[in-house]
Amino acid sequence: IPLSVLYEDADLIAIDKPAGMVVHPSYGHTSGTLVNALLYYWPQVAQVGDEHRAGIVHRLDKDTSGVIVVAKTPQAHRALAAQFENRQTTKRYLALVEGNPPNATGRIEAPIGRDPRQRKRMAVTRDGREAITEFTVLEYYAEQALLEVFPKTGRTHQIRVHLAFIGHPVVGDEVYGYARQRIRLKRHFLHAADLMVFSPSTGQPLTFSAPLPVGLQNVLDKLPR
């Protein structure tokens, strides 16, 4: 399974995950995952973290592309996991959404939990966990807008749920978006563009960036303004 490695040192590996790749094995996804690939190239990560999540300290949805960081040692795993838990990392995503948000910047504070009607989905719920997402509009198009999104918490499907909650679902999102998509994509238009963490060894900030996939850039190039 080929991997696009953005950076590697003694503590961690930064990878540009393609859309369509599941992060770790689960029911229905036992092969072809990021963890399967990691174990081939770096067998030692089998001893890092949980049994089926070798080295994984955070996740990206299957159809979200972009930067993901993997720990290579138990010490690095503990340090990085603490950074994510304590909100010391900085994450920047690019998302194409339906419609034009009325304001150029926004902050969404709405708790997220399991959807009581569809347990495989997440939803904004009163008894959900705290979830905060900030965004800035980068470009307005005729019927869509390109946003840079900064999740301040790390809830499952957070960006997709929050953007749908304010009436601007992610283009191509068949779970939280329009039942009939205006733009036909094989994935949703959400990309983890940048991630900053602190080196577990030196404490220095490390920033990793993944370019927008060609297929998504082609979508932007064809959109009417």
Side-chain angles (χ1 to χ4, degrees), residues 29-101:
H29 298 284
T30 57
S31 62
T33 71
L34 177 60
V35 165
N36 291 121
L38 290 169
L39 292 173
Y40 177 80
Y41 295 106
W42 298 275
Q44 71 270 26
V45 299
Q47 309 303 317
V48 180
D50 295 342
E51 180 181 358
H52 299 295
R53 305 187 182 191
I56 301 297
V57 290
H58 67 120
R59 289 179 54 192
L60 293 178
D61 297 338
K62 175 186 174 183
D63 286 329
T64 300
S65 54
V67 184
I68 187 167
V69 165
V70 179
K72 292 174 69 175
T73 70
Q75 296 84 353
H77 187 275
R78 288 191 293 270
L80 290 168
Q83 290 179 36
F84 280 95
E85 184 176 352
N86 297 327
R87 304 179 189 176
Q88 296 170 316
T89 63
T90 301
K91 294 170 279 188
R92 174 180 172 269
Y93 288 72
L94 295 175
L96 185 68
V97 300
E98 298 287 2
N100 286 177

Side-chain angles (χ1 to χ4, degrees), residues 185-206:
L185 289 176
K186 294 181 179 179
R187 54 166 297 183
H188 51 240
F189 198 121
L190 183 60
H191 176 69
D194 301 292
L195 173 64
M196 189 283 293
V197 301
F198 294 95
S199 167
S201 294
T202 67
Q204 294 299 308
L206 298 171

Side-chain angles (χ1 to χ4, degrees), residues 3-21:
L3 289 177
S4 175
V5 178
L6 300 169
Y7 174 87
E8 180 183 2
D9 63 20
D11 295 311
L12 57 85
I13 313 151
I15 291 167
D16 183 359
K17 185 189 85 68
M21 177 181 276

